[in-house]
Amino acid sequence: MAKKTAKKTDDTPSPLLAHGGKVLSMVTVDAYNAETRSPDGFLGDRASRRAFQAILDDWRDRVSRAGDDPLGDEPSEQISKKELDKMLTEGDAEAAGVIHGAIEEFAQEFAQVIRRFLKLKDWKDTEAIVVGGGLRTSRIGELAIGRTSVLLKADGIDLDIKPIRSHSDHAGLIGCIQLVPSWILSGHDSILAVDIGGTNIRAGIVNLRRKKNADLSQAEVGHFELWRHREDEPEREDAVQRLIDMLVGLIKRAEKDGANLAPFIGIGCPGVIRPDGSIERGGQNLPGDWEHKSFNLPEKLVAAIPKIGDHETVIVMHNDAVVQGLSEVPSMRDYEHWGVLTIGTGLGNARFTNRRSEDEEDEA
């Protein structure tokens, strides 16, 4: 399809310390965390990791009525993506057939979900969608995305759909770079980033690699830590302390490695984020009550880590799907309007309009 050049907007960037900002340096966040309902509940519930497992369970149940379950006795939620990928490519033909059936049905549901998103006012004229989340990091996820794209194109919908380039463990960290103007990071070679999800919390050091490419398209995650908090079922304050410990450990690691950390921590977190850093709604899968007005994660982190190096710590938090999408900013400059959908505990979503950078203005 013909690509459009990112247009200039008159929007004023959000204040540097405004969490959940609408206007960032490279994009305007048109919408995020849409909670569109269908007759069976929230639309996003039809295209989540749980939805795929439910579809797979249904196929296994139907096939096993006429004989043995080709996938064995292990519950679907306990079969890893790696194991399913192996069954798909190397396993028994019937097992592969069951998985293919689940992929096809999931793709049909996902295509329908995308059709509904495209009808929303804030998603009008969307030209491309990048797909992230845990399911994307498997051959099964890639096939589901590819099949969804084919179904929509066959239906006459001119839309580019592609997997997020970075691994799901990394995209939500790399995207944090885009939460502040690049000049804030000037003189530094790395930042701290946090990706909070309904199952895991990730914290890592993102190397800017500005010498590789000034647009930060070569940024990569160096050392990072992953905590599967769903397995431990911690209280909210215990989860916050664990995150603080992870960040303090990363700061020490950066010092040991001679990295020049910016005094900035970017955070992606589920839900609608208020300008003060509290969560308005959408944090129901997090450990404890994160939506209480008295709870403010950025404030707690600044109190625990008031300085990074010789400078006061700056923290900016945004919705986790927004941040995953931001990891694709350098590769999406040829579009005007684009979105992100993340297939995880739920279906994260965000829509963007590109803004021109100073370099793009000079070239125009």
Side-chain angles (χ1 to χ4, degrees):
M1 67 181 285
K3 303 294 188 287
K4 300 178 182 179
T5 303
K7 71 175 182 179
K8 181 179 180 180
T9 71
D10 295 326
D11 294 322
T12 302
S14 301
L16 294 181
L17 299 182
H19 307 283
K22 175 178 174 60
V23 184
L24 305 179
S25 59
M26 299 298 289
V27 297
T28 297
V29 183
D30 302 312
Y32 73 90
N33 205 61
E35 298 174 331
T36 305
R37 286 187 175 274
S38 69
D40 301 321
F42 287 113
L43 187 64
D45 292 341
R46 295 169 55 184
S48 65
R49 184 177 65 243
R50 292 171 182 166
F52 179 80
Q53 289 175 348
I55 292 170
L56 182 61
D57 278 337
D58 182 60
W59 273 93
R60 294 176 68 182
D61 180 63
R62 283 186 283 163
V63 171
S64 63
R65 292 174 196 169
D68 295 333
D69 184 341
L71 271 62
D73 298 328
E74 194 172 9
S76 296
E77 64 269 16
Q78 294 180 18
I79 303 177
S80 70
K81 291 175 291 186
K82 185 178 291 187
E83 289 175 300
L84 287 175
D85 281 351
K86 190 172 183 179
M87 290 181 192
L88 186 67
T89 57
E90 303 175 17
D92 175 81
E94 282 199 357
V98 167
I99 296 169
H100 270 294
I103 290 171
E104 174 65 25
E105 188 171 335
F106 181 83
Q108 294 280 354
E109 292 286 347
F110 194 27
Q112 187 58 29
V113 167
I114 291 175
R115 290 186 186 97
R116 288 285 301 276
F117 269 101
L118 295 177
K119 291 179 181 179
L120 298 177
K121 179 181 177 182
D122 289 329
W123 282 70
K124 183 181 179 182
D125 298 326
T126 298
E127 302 159 64
I129 293 176
V130 292
V131 182
L135 190 63
R136 173 262 175 273
T137 57
S138 64
R139 184 56 181 164
I140 289 171
E142 291 175 347
L143 289 174
I145 294 167
R147 181 59 180 156
T148 301
S149 179
V150 167
L151 288 169
L152 291 172
K153 282 183 166 60
D155 202 27
I157 297 174
D158 189 10
L159 181 73
D160 292 342
I161 302 178
K162 44 193 166 184
I164 281 181
R165 295 173 304 157
S166 301
H167 190 281
S168 63
D169 283 343
H170 296 175
L173 301 176
I174 293 173
C176 288
I177 295 171
Q178 302 293 338
L179 292 176
V180 291
S182 60
W183 61 263
I184 292 290
L185 309 177
S186 179
H188 303 279
D189 57 27
S190 52
I191 68 165
L192 290 176
V194 176
D195 180 17
I196 300 171
T199 302
N200 306 313
I201 292 179
R202 302 173 181 85
I205 298 171
V206 179
N207 299 316
L208 304 180
R209 303 180 77 200
R210 206 190 308 267
K211 292 181 180 179
K212 290 283 186 180
N213 204 317
D215 67 0
L216 302 178
S217 61
Q218 299 301 310
E220 65 178 11
V221 176
H223 187 74
F224 88 104
E225 298 184 14
L226 184 151
W227 173 38
R228 302 186 189 281
H229 65 78
R230 178 63 64 85
E231 297 175 1
D232 296 341
E233 299 182 350
E235 297 294 330
R236 184 184 70 194
E237 298 308 314
D238 294 330
V240 172
Q241 186 57 54
R242 177 68 176 266
L243 175 56
I244 291 170
D245 293 341
M246 292 166 73
L247 289 169
V248 169
L250 289 168
I251 292 171
K252 291 179 179 178
R253 175 67 179 245
E255 292 174 349
K256 180 180 178 181
D257 293 344
N260 185 8
L261 275 178
F264 166 67
I265 303 174
I267 304 174
C269 182
V272 176
I273 311 301
R274 295 189 182 96
D276 67 352
S278 59
I279 301 174
E280 182 176 336
R281 66 180 186 279
Q284 64 272 8
N285 291 317
L286 300 175
D289 182 9
W290 289 48
E291 297 178 18
H292 197 285
K293 289 186 177 181
S294 66
F295 177 70
N296 189 297
L297 178 63
E299 288 182 358
K300 286 184 175 292
L301 295 183
V302 167
I305 309 173
K307 284 189 174 185
I308 297 177
D310 296 328
H311 303 282
E312 294 183 359
T313 302
V314 172
I315 296 180
V316 177
M317 186 165 84
H318 216 308
N319 173 266
D320 57 338
V322 169
V323 177
Q324 274 206 49
L326 292 177
S327 70
E328 289 291 301
V329 162
S331 69
M332 301 300 285
R333 303 309 294 167
D334 288 337
Y335 299 98
E336 184 174 354
H337 307 295
W338 57 282
V340 60
L341 296 173
T342 60
I343 305 171
T345 306
L347 182 69
N349 58 85
R351 218 296 286 260
F352 306 99
T353 295
N354 277 334
R355 306 177 73 242
R356 280 183 179 167
S357 67
E358 291 183 3
D359 289 341
E360 289 168 333
E361 287 289 343
D362 292 340
E363 294 175 1

